[in-house]
Amino acid sequence: MIVITLPGGISCQFDKPITGKEVAIAQKQIKTALALKINGVIKDLDTLLDKNSSIEFVTAEYPEALELLRHDCAHVLAEAVQELFPGTQITFGPATETGFYYDFVRDVPFTPDDFPVIEKKMREIVDRNEKITREVVSRKEAIDFFTKKGESFKAEHIASIPEDEEITLYTQGNFTDLCTGPHLPTTSKLGKAFKLMKVAGAYWRGDPKNPKLQRIYGTCWATQAQLDQYLTMLAEAEKRDHRRLGREMGLFHQQEEATGSIFWHPKGWVLYRLLENYIRNKIINNGYVEVKTPLVIDRSLWEASGHWDNFKDNMFFMHSEERALALKPMNCPAHIQIFRQGITSYRDLPLRLSEFGTCHRNEPSGSLHGIMRTRAFTQDDAHIFCTEDQVTEETKKFCHLLLQVYKELGFDKIVVKFADRPVNRIGSDEDWDKAENSLKKAVDDLGMDYQISKGEGAFYGPKLEFHLQDTLGRSWQCGTLQLDPLMPQRLQAVYIGSDGQKHHPIMLHRAILGSLERFIGILLEHYAGKLPLWLAPVQVIVTTITDEAKDYAYEVLELLKNQGIRCDLDIRNEKISYKIREHSLTKTPILFILGKREKEERMVALRQLGEEKGQEVLTLDETLSWLKIITKMPNSLV
């Protein structure tokens, strides 16, 4: 007798093994069921239930359904491509956070012009209602199958799969792929809420030394309404693209001669320094002391810290006088060197060392994205050296500070993720158990909800990741807190405890913005360039309608400067409508428009960015008093 328990405590008894599909039919849920969740694990609907189990049917409303749909959409894409372009080899096609992709090997390049034809074929495959079946095969059978089909990349991958790993094939119609699943029962369950988005280059197994592949990206949703909403969001995101805004607002540019680096223009550097000084004031007021450490450091320190073995592929190297040197990818080993100077007592802890440290990482060129992902960047970095007993309190203080900063910068929705031990790590399992339990206790004491990011911790310790949500609902991982008991040990950092003995401190790696460059990109897209007035590089433009107002414009400009307002002058011989459009494009918050009448009556025609009511006319004294109030950084931000 087999007992199957359904949600709500409903139990069904069967005298022999039964498939999930048969249970769905019996429960009249076959029309909506996409897959089966057995004891919390997603499986194909055809999975045989041969022992007592708790199950539920995954429908389109389930959070897990999107990944299932997107994975199937990748397979339907691959099937369509091979039908349309015989001889094209397939490699891998996973689901992603917003859709899916599939990598192909083909001599002729794909272009966006191919997308309508491919999408049409994909819809045909959906309409065919092809049954999707799973088959377990031997390694030899799988290799022979794909070799006979001319799929050399698949055959190569199968040969590298560990001996104890099960090999499964999924077939729909005449298309068969190597896959671990799970999948939908038929292609018709996929629906047609999908769209191909772009094509890009990739490398087999992600190695530039290997053959180049063509990657077709797509997006897939449970309903057409969700797809339409996503495409609308993308269109809005395009308008808010920080690269476009950076160009239009005159903030920065990038060029091939300095790949992954940024040329900050005067206005952009003003914004950069405003954000930097804001954070500097925050951390100083919270007990941090600022330091500065070298940019180039000998290889020996990176070997001792563990970065050489775990991070060297992402580092830049150079040689001088037969010494191997590296541009620092992070600041932590250097901060330990400062900690080690002199004798530290437990009475000196916690010690909070901060640095706006410029780092360099050898990111692949294909992963670079404007100022969001670069090779050269500056972190609002800090390291807290403390005792084990101080970890909880220091974690609380940091979390409070981080959440306050995010709120003041306009981000209210924050998701916290706990990233535990990765596969490649230093330290024993006992060390990691202790570190993870210590950090979890701190978060639990705070009463903060968090999600588990399995295996996503740093190689030296577990971490908290803080993901903020922008205006468009996109998630950005910025702040981190990493608990590290190991690096201080490796680099021989010690303090004298209350017992008179030497002890290794716990090191908390922490950042709020992450990198200033990336956070500025996030701010630009979040606000669509219309930054809060205190952050605007230029707060006021004084512009003239006629030449008669020039001398008055210069006078007003000086008064603004004396008041500490970031302002500029536009007395060009252009129509005022042209000037207004141009300064709106650069997202200047406030325009002072001056003509003959304004000069004679010492008035100002005031126009604010985004205000539909147009402009209002005030006396110069009224305007200056008003500006003094609204341009001052709010007290809470100091």
Side-chain angles (χ1 to χ4, degrees), residues 63-84:
E64 300 93 336
L66 270 181
E67 183 176 356
L68 193 66
L69 292 168
R70 288 165 178 169
H71 193 178
D72 275 66
C73 209
H75 279 226
V76 170
L77 166 63
E79 182 180 3
V81 165
Q82 289 202 318
E83 285 190 20
L84 290 167

Side-chain angles (χ1 to χ4, degrees), residues 89-151:
Q89 286 197 61
I90 55 174
T91 58
F92 296 115
T96 66
E97 188 175 348
T98 58
F100 60 93
Y101 68 79
Y102 212 109
D103 289 341
F104 300 98
V105 182
R106 180 173 177 243
D107 292 335
V108 180
F110 289 109
T111 73
D113 292 339
D114 296 318
F115 291 175
V117 177
I118 299 174
E119 287 176 354
K120 181 180 179 182
K121 179 60 69 173
M122 291 173 70
R123 292 187 182 94
E124 288 179 12
I125 294 169
V126 169
D127 288 337
R128 290 178 200 162
N129 193 26
E130 294 175 348
K131 182 176 173 58
I132 301 174
T133 58
R134 176 180 183 269
E135 180 184 8
V136 179
V137 298
S138 70
R139 177 187 306 272
K140 184 177 185 306
E141 287 175 320
I143 292 174
D144 289 346
F145 174 79
F146 284 106
T147 300
K148 187 179 294 185
K149 287 185 63 180
E151 299 281 5

Side-chain angles (χ1 to χ4, degrees), residues 586-638:
T586 61
K587 304 297 187 287
T588 305
I590 300 172
L591 294 183
F592 281 9
I593 302 172
L594 309 179
K596 181 180 179 182
R597 177 190 170 192
E598 284 76 21
K599 174 184 176 181
E600 291 173 348
E601 299 179 10
R602 295 190 67 75
M603 305 287 283
V604 171
L606 183 71
R607 189 181 188 95
Q608 295 187 63
L609 182 66
E611 287 286 339
E612 295 182 1
K613 63 182 179 181
Q615 62 194 43
E616 58 182 323
V617 180
L618 303 172
T619 67
L620 178 57
D621 289 341
E622 287 175 332
T623 307
L624 292 177
S625 297
W626 171 73
L627 274 177
K628 191 172 184 178
I629 297 171
I630 68 164
T631 57
K632 185 178 180 181
M633 185 185 297
N635 290 333
S636 64
L637 301 186
V638 177

Side-chain angles (χ1 to χ4, degrees), residues 347-379:
R347 296 187 181 90
D348 301 319
L349 303 180
L351 175 62
R352 308 179 187 97
L353 300 182
S354 72
E355 178 176 7
F356 292 94
T358 299
C359 299
H360 290 78
R361 296 181 185 174
N362 191 12
E363 303 282 2
S365 58
S367 69
L368 301 177
H369 178 65
I371 66 173
M372 296 287 205
R373 188 162 186 180
T374 59
R375 288 176 175 170
F377 56 93
T378 300
Q379 297 176 310

Side-chain angles (χ1 to χ4, degrees), residues 528-557:
K530 301 172 186 176
L531 296 166
L533 191 57
W534 69 272
L535 264 178
V538 177
Q539 295 169 311
V540 179
I541 291 286
V542 180
T543 185
T544 54
I545 300 174
T546 65
D547 288 344
E548 295 174 274
K550 278 186 180 180
D551 55 345
Y552 181 49
Y554 279 111
E555 179 189 351
V556 171
L557 187 73

Side-chain angles (χ1 to χ4, degrees), residues 438-481:
S438 179
L439 189 56
K440 280 182 180 177
K441 180 182 184 304
V443 183
D444 290 338
D445 285 353
L446 275 168
M448 295 177 68
D449 294 327
Y450 60 88
Q451 303 170 5
I452 298 294
S453 292
K454 197 71 180 172
E456 295 296 318
F459 68 85
Y460 46 74
K463 63 180 178 178
L464 298 179
E465 296 177 343
F466 299 87
H467 297 248
L468 53 85
Q469 191 175 104
D470 69 10
T471 306
L472 299 181
R474 297 173 300 179
S475 180
W476 304 94
Q477 191 264 304
C478 296
T480 58
L481 177 72

